[in-house]
């Protein structure tokens, strides 16, 4: 086995980063929780060095805050930060809708159609957990379908900073929002299939703004 300074160091650190990122985004670690380097090192069966480097990376991504001599905490975005991040989300997803509309009948179109078939059924039976999963999948397929690696890289960083999995359920908890969100997704896909990039971008941006309004209302209540 390679030492922490050898070839295995990157993979050990990468494993810690990936798992910690997953837990934070999934809401398994609550905002404000103080993360112990020692406890994490023991849990992962590694030295404190890869844990320390992993925490630095997660701070760069905006998921945690390291306060010297105080502790390391999972962050919770403020309303202003959520607004700013959603403004960027709107720009990126609008651009993605336009780019996908220009590509024609690519495999992601079929996957989006199947996503909406499943979403229609989940909304009809009021399965909020499944609706939330499918909403995230729809947006993810849109980004992948844009076929722009730079756009996708920025989007992944943005979604990590939002810890979106925690927030989408709040947005969908608002009365009537699951049904309306589903309709908005259908409208976006219709415009993409029609190769109307201008309208697809406009409607996608309107959809993201509506989601942000529902989310902020949910957080307020």
């Amino acid at each position: 086995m390679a030492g922490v300074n050898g070839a295995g160091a990157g993979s050990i650190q990468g494993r810690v980063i990936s798992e910690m990122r997953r837990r934070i985004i999934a809401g398994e670690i609550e905002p404000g929780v103080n993360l112990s380097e020692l406890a994490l090192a023991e849990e992962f069966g590694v030295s404190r060095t890869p844990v320390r480097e992993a925490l630095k990376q997660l701070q760069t991504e905006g998921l945690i805050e390291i306060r010297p001599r105080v502790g390391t905490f999972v962050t919770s975005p403020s309303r202003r930060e959520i607004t700013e991040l959603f403004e960027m989300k709107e720009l990126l997803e609008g651009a993605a809708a336009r780019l996908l509309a220009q590509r024609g009948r690519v495999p992601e179109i079929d996957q989006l159609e199947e996503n909406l078939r499943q979403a229609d059924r989940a909304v009809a039976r009021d399965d909020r957990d499944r609706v939330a999963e499918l909403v995230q999948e729809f947006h993810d397929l849109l980004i992948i379908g844009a076929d722009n690696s730079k756009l996708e890289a920025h989007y992944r960083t943005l979604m990590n900073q939002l810890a979106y999995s925690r927030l989408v359920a709040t947005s969908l908890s608002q009365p009537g929002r699951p049904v309306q969100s589903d309709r908005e997704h259908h409208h976006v896909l219709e415009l993409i299939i029609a190769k109307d990039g201008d309208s697809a971008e406009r409607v996608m941006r309107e959809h993201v703004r509506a989601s942000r309004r529902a989310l902020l209302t949910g957080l307020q209540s």
Side-chain angles (χ1 to χ4, degrees):
M1 178 178 174
V4 292
N5 294 320
S11 59
I12 292 168
Q13 186 178 315
R15 179 168 62 88
V16 176
I17 291 170
S18 296
E19 177 57 19
M20 290 301 299
R21 185 190 291 122
R22 185 197 66 76
R23 292 180 189 180
I24 294 168
I25 292 169
E28 293 175 16
I29 306 175
E30 292 293 327
V33 167
N34 193 348
L35 301 171
S36 163
E37 262 185 31
L38 182 58
L40 289 169
E42 289 177 354
E43 179 186 349
F44 285 103
V46 299
S47 72
R48 294 176 72 165
T49 301
V51 170
R52 189 175 300 121
E53 293 305 312
L55 293 175
K56 287 180 184 175
Q57 173 60 32
L58 293 172
Q59 178 173 240
T60 300
E61 294 178 13
L63 290 174
I64 66 170
E65 179 184 1
I66 300 172
R67 300 179 201 161
R69 297 181 297 282
V70 178
T72 300
F73 303 90
V74 175
T75 59
S76 180
S78 66
R79 288 177 69 87
R80 179 181 173 86
E81 286 172 321
I82 288 171
T83 297
E84 290 177 351
L85 290 165
F86 260 81
E87 285 171 349
M88 295 307 300
K89 186 175 187 286
E90 178 189 327
L91 288 171
L92 292 173
E93 292 188 348
R98 173 189 290 275
L99 290 170
L100 180 53
Q102 293 169 356
R103 293 188 66 207
R105 191 77 196 192
V106 293
E108 287 80 13
I109 299 291
D110 296 324
Q111 293 170 313
L112 284 163
E113 287 182 332
E114 176 57 28
N115 171 279
L116 290 181
R117 281 191 287 271
Q118 293 186 37
D120 291 345
R121 292 194 290 269
V123 168
R125 64 177 184 269
D126 198 27
D127 185 344
R128 296 291 175 89
D129 289 342
R130 183 60 178 147
V131 171
E133 289 175 2
L134 290 163
V135 165
Q136 290 183 76
E137 182 184 271
F138 181 93
H139 289 252
D140 203 48
L141 285 168
L142 187 76
I143 295 296
I144 294 168
D147 195 31
N148 183 307
S149 61
K150 300 300 182 186
L151 185 152
E152 184 173 355
H154 284 297
Y155 184 78
R156 300 294 173 209
T157 301
L158 176 74
M159 296 303 277
N160 286 346
Q161 289 181 350
L162 263 175
Y164 188 60
S165 298
R166 292 196 308 231
L167 299 180
V168 68
T170 302
S171 174
L172 292 169
S173 70
Q174 296 307 293
R177 184 59 196 155
V179 172
Q180 189 58 38
S181 175
D182 192 44
R183 286 183 188 146
E184 290 163 6
H185 281 181
H186 274 282
H187 192 191
V188 169
L189 186 56
E190 286 166 6
L191 293 167
I192 288 171
I193 291 171
K195 299 183 181 180
D196 185 349
D198 289 347
S199 297
E201 179 172 12
R202 176 179 53 79
V203 172
M204 189 66 208
R205 292 184 62 164
E206 289 170 357
H207 167 64
V208 175
R209 286 198 294 274
S211 296
R212 184 183 76 190
R213 287 194 297 271
L215 169 62
L216 292 175
T217 299
L219 290 174
Q220 192 166 12
S221 61

